Amino acid sequence: MRAEAAGPLPATRPVVLGTVIGMTLALASPARAEPSLSALDAPSLTTGAGVPEVGGDLAPSGDASGVPGPSGPFALPPTANTGLIRLDAPDFPYGALAPPPGEPGRGWNVTPSLGLQLLATDNLDLSRRNKRSDFVTSIIPGLLLSMDTARIRGIINYAPSIQFHTAEGERNRVDQRFNGQVLLTVVPDEVFLDIRGSGATQAASGGYAQQGNTVLGRDNRIQTNTVQISPYFVHRFGGLATVQVGYAFTAVQQDLGSNGFGGGANSGAFTPSGQRYFTDQDFTANEIYAIGRTGEDFGPLALESRLAATSYNGTGVLDGAYRRIASMQARYAITHSILALVEGGFEQQRYAGVPGIEISEPVWAFGGRVNFSPESWIMAKYGHRDGFNSATVDAVIALGGRTQLFANYAERLTTGAQRAVDLLSTTTLDEYGNPVDAATGAPSAQPLTDSLLGVQGSLFRIRRGAVSVSQSWPRDRISLTLSREERTPVSIQVGTAAFSQRGTSASLSWAHELTPATTAIGNFQYGRFTTPGAGKGDVLSASLTLATQLRRGLSAFAQYAVTSSRDDFVSGRALQNVVLVGLRQTF
């Protein structure tokens, strides 16, 4: 679930009201997000504790942060958010935001809030045979902290949900939900400290609507907490080159059935046939890296070299694992709008599990980018990495003045716990602390809140693609999203079973401003899946929400949602009705 907004709410923005009620809707962010931490244009996927693959686009020249980007093929059109400064790299920790030297910031803004939600359901577990009603009271304290000074910039949104069940008291729990990204300038223009973190929950079994107010018992809920700290040094040699050296420490914890603070009591998640497919996961990662890039003196040609080494200390397939890569990329600006790239290098990877995985082989890729306008572009490449050939695509295309299309596709060799780090590295935060895709500016489909597929602890090759179209009008916003994800096990955690999974989903969202203070939001989701907790099946979910601002700082909402699902293990369909009302007061 998307973190809730905690600040005073402009009554005229249905986008904000959608955020207040904590709904994960595609309409809950602007068509072209203007994140408060960075204005990154096209990052690549990460490869470990935060090292991005070669191929991310870099910032324009003349960056006032002291790390100017080149004026040749790495230069990008300026983003709409002109008040932001971009460092000379596309993604974390290289793309962190820094204030211009000597420029005074806007200071600190602390917005506490308190929310109350009342939920009634006639089928707590979305069951076909054992329907149980319950009434759930949730208390949601919130703290939205934004910082913008000459030395520190960032945003932190912490909104834990404390839940009390009337009929099922043993299910009382605390869901930790937070997002934060903070950059400290230690030495102006040279030394920085980047700190990031997130916390979210999802269904262990899968078989639920992709995003939304999923009602889960404690024994079927996985809490994922991630923290990453990276100090780094940057130095520019005039227009010749820029060098960056850094270190990143990462800690990730995934707990099943915990009370929100770790230490889950369960021994794992099991299929109805008794096969265990998930046990609690945790790891720490230590990474060192060095990057060198040519500057504007090279004209239309740009070169970039990267060295990175990440070692893991954790459970399951990450016990003693490592990732190491050395690569070189060359880009050439054929025209002002067309860029070509080629890259090569060598990688080594190791994972525990059955079978043990060791990769030691060359990596390569070729591709390019086409800029249609400052707000419309496509970047694609094809290459060999992680032991297989694959393609990567990121695109945002303006279809007229009111319609935008977002698209992305990528393949990864990764685990569920490592995807938590990828989320930190490939997203930035909007003004309310909600993650948005740093490549396209689209609302982020967080893998740690997606409950369509089950959560497994093994190593997988994951293919994921998504296309969304959004249209904005003065009083309406409509979004349609289609996505597909396939997971193939590569190395199985000892003591568990691993299963291939597939999921195809579609969602349609529509927000309509009824009055300057009141907005109606409709959401429809449908997904087909194969997942270890439910076999093959499908799930359909629809909701209607009315959100209003009662007075400055006080908002209210009411929602009705219905979910219908089926799977292979029990015949028939399960039906769940949910009524949810809530209040939130900001101070």
Side-chain angles (χ1 to χ4, degrees), residues 9-28:
L9 308 175
T12 59
R13 291 183 63 190
V15 168
V16 175
L17 291 173
T19 308
V20 169
I21 61 177
M23 298 179 63
T24 309
L25 304 180
L27 55 89

Side-chain angles (χ1 to χ4, degrees), residues 32 53 59 68 189 224 259 269 309 375 393 398 412 421 502 534 551 561:
R32 174 63 179 174
E53 291 185 8
D189 308 334
T224 302
N259 196 35
E375 297 295 326
V393 178
R412 296 281 293 142
V421 184
R502 298 183 302 277
R551 64 172 186 266

Side-chain angles (χ1 to χ4, degrees), residues 320-344:
Y322 59 76
R323 285 185 172 186
R324 304 163 184 162
I325 187 168
S327 61
M328 172 72 76
Q329 180 188 110
R331 293 194 187 189
Y332 188 80
I334 301 174
T335 69
H336 180 73
S337 300
I338 300 176
L339 290 75
L341 70 88
V342 61
E343 62 187 59

